[in-house]
Amino acid sequence: MREPAVKKTLYWCRECNLPLIGKTCRCGAAGVEIPIQKPYDLRPALAHDHELLRSLLLERYGTDRLPQVVLFNKSSGVDRTEVVIANGVEFGRLSYDPAGHAYTLDLSQDALRFLAPFITRGVVDITAEAEEQGFGNRRLGGKKVMVRTNLSDGPVVVRMKDLLGVGQLHDGGVRVRQIGKVQPESPPDPSWGEAVRVNVPLLKDLERTAVRFIRQHMDDRPAANVSFSGGKDSTVCLELARRAGVKDVFSVDTGLEFPETVEFVRQSGIPVIIHGNDFWKEVEKNGLPRKDNRWCCERLKLQPVKEYLSRKGPCVTVQGNRWYESFSRSTLPGVIVNPFNPLQLNISPIRNWRALEVFLYLWWRKVPYNPLYEMGYERVGCYLCPAMLESEAARTREIHPDLAGHWEEYLVSWAKKKGLSRRYIDLGLWRWENPPPKMCELAGRCGVSVSKKRQKS
């Protein structure tokens, strides 16, 4: 199968210190290439996440110095794992440990160029120990140096004479990742508003292309509409579709939406709200929804929409699917007949947009979006969705303890009936009928047994 033309590189203007969605900045400077990781999606670190990074920096290194413009590049891991991009470099890696329910920020060597003069703690001087252990004239990258320190295990800044580096402290030793001479830099600190300004020409191009695409296909069926979930992607598609002349809009309330989503949909003036089947009745019949058995999508969304549209006849539906959301959507065609409902022709005008383009467009056009994104969520589906990360589940427990608590009670009761421990639930293992190897490994480290056979709900 031919690989789609996804963008595998981020361009960054060194003069303006801003990310670009094209190769050249509005100031005229050529962008510097920054390789990014699969699935190649990039998104801004919004209010809660920006504050999270600052708090982790302050706690570990004694400084909360962080530029306003920070990007996340989603990466693979046991739970939430993000490459942090700031000042035009890979700044570090943010990861969430579902066993310890805690975040860690590992700094990169490049980050020291901007942080070194302000770091007041989290530093391990290995000068004497490295000499004692015979590392004095050898390359230290990848080597473990036993040290005497009162610091807790975790990421550290390493000092050896006039060299600075980064490493990992564990069981009395520092594994040095990288070390070298650091030349401090103080780049400008522009806002996201400036990022929008320098990218306006390409945002206009994206808008024109998407509106033209919708107009090309909106008459392929007798009627056209927009499927609006309350998420950022469907919010952009609603704006684009309205500019293209599509007026009909519908939204599905599964009964499991976050209150913020329900209110945002109401404020958006969506005229048709389709109500899904009763989840609590469905879960008794079908068992737990899982990542590898998401019956909930069919029963709570697809089937109700199919029944609604069957009364309307054949139609074109504008939807917000994007290649970069997941590996499963990375080959999504622009136009496709819905296999679940052949009367519906789905078109995806922003399939080649990254989350970076989505947010820049929303800011440029001053389009309101779901407040959950600013509160620390990457996705804003159902509050108990099995596809949710444990980091997001933890955030839900903070913001909506009543909703999270109700579902947790159900899960604990289910686990008890199955002879499973509470720890099984806490690690999020309930999310799979067949947990993948990374989750089986996590369970093993935590002393939780995972059956090799498919767990029946």
Side-chain angles (χ1 to χ4, degrees), residues 56 60-61 93 95 103-108 121-124 151-158 165-170 174-175 177:
L56 291 170
R60 191 66 177 176
Y61 303 106
R93 186 174 294 262
S95 57
Y103 277 102
T104 300
L105 176 61
D106 287 279
L107 294 179
S108 71
R121 56 175 179 260
V123 180
V124 178
L151 285 175
S152 59
D153 285 355
V156 291
V157 171
V158 181
V166 289
Q168 194 75 19
L169 177 64
H170 182 69
V174 174
R175 179 78 63 183
R177 288 208 317 273

Side-chain angles (χ1 to χ4, degrees), residues 45-97:
L46 301 178
H48 178 269
D49 283 328
H50 195 274
E51 185 57 35
L52 170 64
L53 292 173
R54 291 179 65 229
S55 67
L56 291 170
L57 280 170
L58 187 62
E59 179 184 359
R60 191 66 177 176
Y61 303 106
T63 178
D64 62 355
R65 190 177 179 84
L66 190 69
Q68 297 178 71
V69 174
V70 178
L71 287 173
F72 287 139
N73 174 201
K74 183 164 56 178
S75 184
S76 59
V78 174
D79 200 74
R80 181 182 179 184
T81 306
E82 314 263 17
V83 174
V84 181
I85 300 172
N87 290 329
V89 301
E90 184 177 313
F91 198 82
R93 186 174 294 262
L94 176 70
S95 57
Y96 183 80
D97 174 17

Side-chain angles (χ1 to χ4, degrees), residues 256 279-280 383-384 397 400-413:
L256 301 173
F279 170 78
W280 301 103
Y383 66 80
L384 52 69
R397 287 192 290 271
H400 292 294
D402 51 339
L403 298 178
H406 186 196
W407 181 232
E408 193 169 294
E409 287 177 11
Y410 188 93
L411 289 174
V412 170
S413 175

